[in-house]
């Protein structure tokens, strides 16, 4: 074969064109185009072997066609038609409106719940750091360092944190938050005395009442500080839970900033200190009233499948407890 190709090449270079030379050139060109026509790589052993044993017999009598058309007409045994493009299946659409027979929906009241809990968190830290901006005025009025009340508050907070999980699981979200808001309002009243009574210097409570009120507020704070994840899982959809949790938790820092700003502006005298504590007590009472009236355990329709499962489990536990009590 090599000798024949050399002879054909010599005749081609010398200008002698024969039908055999033209046929050889066409066969070589078709052999080069063969991998592109069949859709397979010519580097594979199977295709190379098949290409060697399959002759390409194209006579001059055939009409003038391209190499690709000629290969298609020959219907070579190893040539496969090109595969049709694969269509991507659309992702399955998961219905977010119902889980089983339980409908799912986001309650617009969820933002009210978040606002109430955030306000309670703000008030608790505002009360803790109420005197940190005016330590000299507090020392003049009560005769004690302002940092003592912060230490008492934090110690009460730690003790209450150990009780939060059991109490919240037994009583539910509404009862624990409402009870803690009422406790905080009572503590603020003990710290301020009767709000807006003159002359202020004569009715400001003694230091013992300040300590008692601080303990109450410190024990109430974990029910605002540890509740945001539970509130988010109960009231918010999966895409809103991070925002709701971060908002409620960060309002503790807003309360600290409020203590520095408002305390520094108001508590510059004994009368100003009493008026400052009166404002704090009135805001706490208003927040406790709003909690009692507006705060709820859970929405009427669960916002997610996990919330629906938790509600079903809570209902089953309540039914079991009622059946046990009725049988007893």
């Amino acid at each position: 074969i090599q000798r024949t190709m050399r002879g054909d090449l010599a005749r081609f270079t010398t200008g002698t064109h024969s039908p055999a030379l033209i046929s050889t050139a066409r066969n070589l060109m078709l052999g080069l185009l063969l991998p592109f026509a069949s859709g397979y790589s010519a580097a594979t052993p199977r295709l190379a072997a098949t290409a060697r044993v399959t002759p390409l017999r194209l006579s001059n009598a055939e009409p003038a066609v391209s190499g690709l058309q000629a290969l298609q007409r020959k219907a070579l045994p190893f040539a496969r038609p090109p595969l049709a493009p694969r269509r991507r299946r659309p992702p399955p659409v998961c219905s977010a409106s119902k889980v089983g027979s339980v409908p799912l929906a986001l309650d617009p009241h969820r933002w009210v719940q978040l606002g109430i809990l955030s306000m309670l968190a703000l008030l608790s830290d505002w009360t803790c750091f109420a005197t940190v901006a005016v330590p000299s005025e507090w020392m003049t009025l009560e005769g004690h360092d302002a940092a003592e009340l912060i230490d008492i508050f934090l110690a009460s907070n730690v003790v209450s944190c150990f009780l939060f999980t059991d109490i919240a699981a037994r009583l539910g979200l509404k009862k624990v938050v409402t009870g803690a808001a009422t406790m905080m309002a009572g503590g603020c009243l003990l710290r301020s005395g009767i709000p807006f009574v003159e002359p202020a210097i004569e009715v400001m409570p003694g230091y013992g009442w300040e300590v008692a009120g601080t303990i109450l507020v410190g024990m109430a704070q974990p029910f605002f500080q540890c509740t945001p994840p539970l509130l988010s899982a109960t009231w918010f959809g999966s895409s809103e839970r991070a925002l709701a949790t971060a908002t409620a938790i960060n309002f503790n820092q807003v309360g600290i900033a409020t203590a520095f700003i408002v305390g520094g502006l108001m508590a510059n005298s004994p009368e100003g200190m009493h008026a400052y504590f009166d404002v704090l007590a009135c805001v706490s009472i208003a927040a406790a009233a709003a909690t009692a009236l507006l705060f709820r355990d859970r929405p009427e329709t669960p916002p997610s499948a996990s919330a629906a499962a938790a509600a079903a489990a809570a209902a089953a536990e309540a039914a079991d407890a009622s059946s046990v009590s009725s049988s007893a």
Side-chain angles (χ1 to χ4, degrees):
I1 295 174
Q2 292 179 355
R3 285 196 300 271
T4 303
M5 292 180 64
R6 289 195 193 99
D8 291 340
L9 183 61
R11 286 193 297 272
F12 182 77
T13 55
T14 57
T16 306
H17 305 288
S18 64
L21 177 60
I22 296 175
S23 176
T24 302
R26 291 177 63 183
N27 289 342
L28 289 175
M29 291 182 63
L30 293 176
L32 293 175
L33 294 173
L34 180 62
F36 303 98
S38 61
Y40 292 92
S41 173
T44 59
R46 178 177 177 274
L47 183 59
T50 310
R52 284 196 298 271
V53 300
T54 305
L56 293 175
R57 299 177 181 177
L58 302 177
S59 65
N60 294 332
E62 294 180 350
V65 295
S66 65
L68 294 177
Q69 292 175 346
L71 287 176
Q72 293 175 357
R73 290 183 181 183
K74 288 297 180 180
L76 299 177
F78 56 85
R80 290 177 55 185
L83 298 177
R86 298 179 62 182
R87 296 182 179 180
R88 291 185 178 181
R89 294 182 178 180
V93 178
C94 299
S95 175
S97 60
K98 183 178 289 188
V99 173
S101 60
V102 180
L104 302 181
L106 291 175
D107 193 329
H109 202 258
R110 66 191 185 279
W111 300 110
V112 177
Q113 313 300 307
L114 179 62
I116 291 174
L117 190 64
S118 301
M119 180 57 65
L120 294 173
L122 182 152
L123 288 171
S124 63
D125 265 324
W126 183 4
T127 305
C128 173
F129 295 93
T131 59
V132 73
V134 284
S136 58
E137 294 294 336
W138 181 255
M139 177 67 74
T140 302
L141 189 62
E142 295 289 348
H144 292 271
D145 190 359
E148 292 181 4
L149 290 181
I150 299 176
D151 295 338
I152 294 171
F153 181 97
L154 296 178
S156 306
N157 185 297
V158 170
V159 173
S160 183
C161 281
F162 290 104
L163 306 175
F164 166 76
T165 304
D166 296 333
I167 296 176
R170 182 178 295 272
L171 299 180
L173 191 60
K174 176 179 174 58
K175 291 182 179 179
V176 296
V177 174
T178 304
T182 305
M183 184 185 300
M184 182 173 65
C188 290
L189 277 176
L190 291 179
R191 286 163 55 99
S192 67
I194 303 175
F196 302 108
V197 174
E198 297 294 342
I201 192 63
E202 297 180 1
V203 296
M204 190 72 179
Y207 188 71
W209 294 107
E210 300 291 341
V211 172
T214 302
I215 291 174
L216 288 179
V217 180
M219 294 189 69
Q221 190 191 46
F223 295 94
F224 318 133
Q225 197 173 32
C226 304
T227 308
L230 179 59
L231 179 80
S232 300
T234 305
W235 282 88
F236 289 85
S238 57
S239 62
E240 300 173 333
R241 290 176 184 172
L243 172 64
T245 303
T247 300
I249 290 177
N250 286 326
F251 261 79
N252 289 286
Q253 282 67 40
V254 176
I256 298 174
T258 304
F260 276 92
I261 295 172
V262 180
L265 293 175
M266 292 186 65
N268 295 317
S269 63
E271 294 80 6
M273 180 73 72
H274 187 259
Y276 172 49
F277 273 55
D278 287 345
V279 169
L280 190 53
C282 291
V283 175
S284 299
I285 293 172
T291 305
L293 294 175
L294 301 175
F295 202 82
R296 302 200 310 238
D297 253 329
R298 61 184 69 254
E300 296 179 358
T301 55
S304 62
S306 58
E317 291 180 2
D320 293 341
S322 62
S323 62
V324 170
S325 61
S326 59
S327 61

